């Protein structure tokens, strides 16, 4: 059986890895963007982002001052033995990771309306920041995957969840959400952006699929509809940090879920920033005593 300590350590390590390290597909996406960008100012921005990522990885510094809200995804194998304390163990690992990083103190004091109005101020302890509700998937095998995504505030301001009339043509849905992303790109600021999209039957399902798109997305594998949205955003000419020209979006991630017999599809868009998706996974194997593997 996997122990609470193993699970806590895995959650902590995934949070730190997600917050400090570009994945290989992100590095490749930026290198390709440098080849496409025709503006000297735009190229300078892309080069600085890559340098920032190198320093963050080597020194374990946060990639961005907005260290983000932890979102945890558990993928639990059908042969894994864990106790009911798994969620407490994950929460403890998230607290430890935020303190070790350290995360930006963002937890608001008080309850209810006190929180809404932020009238009691903030906690100084980064560990007081609660993670979003945990998402759980069932998988086969004897492994537990713990993935942490760190979601910053700017993309949440520019996001949108709404119905789209498909008119018996899937391209209509893709083109509509592409227009949403193109319109919001100029206001985001921290471009190149990453449109992350979930399409489902309800607002809850669409938002869950949006998180799944961020979980599964890979810049080196882009579907035709993902490429279409990226093209629409790049055609705006907003460019890196809004300085104009070629690269406004690095790529797009789209997750299409089940559909119902209806004239509409519910679409949830998160216009990710230049560091998105900040994501890392730690894999634990249940082999009797439980051995943790390095972040992947």
């Amino acid at each position: 059986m996997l122990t609470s300590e193993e699970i806590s350590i895995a959650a902590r390590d995934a949070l730190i890895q997600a917050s400090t390290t570009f994945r290989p597909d992100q590095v490749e996406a930026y290198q390709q963007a440098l080849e496409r960008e025709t503006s000297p100012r735009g190229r300078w921005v892309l080069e600085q982002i890559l340098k920032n990522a190198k320093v963050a990885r080597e020194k374990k510094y946060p990639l961005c001052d907005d260290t983000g809200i932890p979102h945890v995804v558990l993928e639990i194998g059908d042969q894994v033995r864990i106790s009911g304390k798994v969620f407490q163990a994950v929460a403890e690992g998230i607290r430890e990771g935020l303190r070790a990083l350290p995360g930006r103190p963002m937890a608001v004091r008080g309850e209810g309306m006190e929180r809404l109005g932020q009238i009691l101020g903030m906690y100084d302890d980064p560990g007081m920041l609660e993670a979003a509700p945990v998402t759980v998937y069932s998988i086969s095998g004897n492994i537990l995957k713990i993935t942490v995504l760190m979601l910053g505030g700017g993309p949440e301001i520019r996001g949108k969840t709404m119905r789209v009339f498909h008119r018996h043509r899937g391209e209509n849905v893709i083109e509509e959400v592409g227009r949403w992303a193109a319109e919001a790109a100029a206001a985001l600021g921290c471009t190149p952006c990453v449109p992350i999209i979930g399409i489902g039957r309800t607002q809850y399902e669409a938002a869950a699929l949006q998180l799944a798109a961020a979980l599964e997305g890979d810049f080196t594998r882009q579907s035709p509809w993902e490429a279409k949205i990226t093209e629409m955003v790049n055609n705006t000419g907003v460019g890196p940090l809004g300085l104009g020209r070629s690269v406004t979006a690095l790529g797009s991630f789209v997750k299409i879920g089940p559909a119902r017999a209806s004239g509409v599809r519910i679409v949830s868009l998160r216009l990710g920033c230049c560091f998105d998706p900040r994501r890392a996974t730690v894999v634990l194997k249940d082999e009797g005593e439980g051995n943790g593997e390095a972040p992947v």
Side-chain angles (χ1 to χ4, degrees):
M1 176 181 286
L2 297 175
T3 67
S4 293
E5 182 180 9
E6 288 177 300
I7 293 169
S8 290
I9 291 171
R12 178 201 65 193
D13 291 350
L15 185 147
I16 294 172
Q17 183 86 351
S19 301
T20 61
T21 306
F22 267 6
R23 299 180 315 283
D25 67 300
Q26 284 175 292
V27 174
E28 183 172 339
Y30 268 101
Q31 290 171 340
Q32 292 180 359
L34 271 169
E35 295 176 2
R36 299 195 311 271
E37 182 55 63
T38 57
S39 163
R41 293 186 300 177
R43 287 181 56 82
W44 179 86
V45 170
L46 300 175
E47 289 166 354
Q48 297 310 305
I49 291 173
L50 281 172
K51 288 180 181 178
N52 177 82
K54 182 175 184 293
V55 172
R57 182 187 72 248
E58 292 175 351
K59 297 186 177 294
K60 290 301 177 184
Y61 290 161
L63 284 159
C64 179
D65 176 66
D66 181 357
T67 46
I69 306 299
H71 287 60
V72 181
V73 179
L74 300 182
E75 297 172 87
I76 305 175
D78 54 11
Q79 299 173 34
V80 171
R81 296 163 296 165
I82 52 177
S83 76
K85 296 182 178 179
V86 61
F87 297 105
Q88 293 97 313
V90 167
E92 180 59 29
I94 293 299
R95 283 191 291 270
E96 292 176 3
L98 287 169
R99 288 167 180 153
L101 187 58
R104 188 170 78 185
M106 290 188 287
V108 179
R109 293 179 181 272
E111 300 292 336
M113 295 299 290
E114 294 170 337
R115 284 185 179 177
L116 286 183
Q118 204 167 308
I119 60 177
L120 299 181
M122 317 291 290
Y123 290 102
D124 294 328
D125 178 7
M128 291 299 293
L129 181 69
E130 293 184 40
V134 176
T135 299
V136 180
Y137 294 110
S138 176
I139 58 176
S140 61
N142 67 335
I143 61 172
L144 169 65
K145 292 184 179 181
I146 302 177
T147 300
V148 176
L149 299 100
M150 301 298 285
L151 305 186
E156 303 306 325
I157 296 171
R158 306 303 169 194
K160 184 174 183 178
T161 300
M162 195 173 177
R163 51 87 182 115
V164 175
F165 293 97
H166 59 75
R167 297 181 177 86
H168 297 283
R169 183 174 176 270
E171 289 83 354
N172 286 336
V173 180
I174 295 301
E175 290 167 3
E176 178 66 14
V177 72
R179 285 190 288 270
W180 295 357
E183 291 170 3
L188 179 65
C190 42
T191 47
C193 64
V194 183
I196 303 172
I197 297 148
I199 305 174
R201 297 164 293 184
T202 66
Q203 292 188 29
Y204 172 83
E205 186 175 54
L209 289 165
Q210 180 213 107
L211 186 69
L215 174 70
E216 301 169 6
D218 187 324
F219 288 108
T220 64
R221 297 195 301 270
Q222 294 280 285
S223 67
W225 45 93
E226 289 168 332
K228 173 66 174 178
I229 292 168
T230 301
E231 179 186 20
M232 291 178 70
V233 176
N234 282 334
N235 285 342
T236 64
V238 170
L241 291 188
L243 296 177
R245 210 66 67 87
S246 308
V247 181
T248 305
L250 277 183
S252 302
F253 301 146
V254 179
K255 181 76 171 178
I256 301 173
R260 60 173 292 188
S262 169
V264 302
R265 300 291 175 249
I266 308 302
V267 181
S268 182
L269 163 71
R270 183 177 193 273
L271 194 67
C273 74
C274 56
F275 299 118
D276 275 345
R278 286 179 284 176
R279 178 188 84 209
T281 301
V282 173
V283 179
L284 298 173
K285 288 184 178 179
D286 183 0
E287 297 177 327
E289 296 182 358
N291 297 310
E293 296 185 346
V296 295

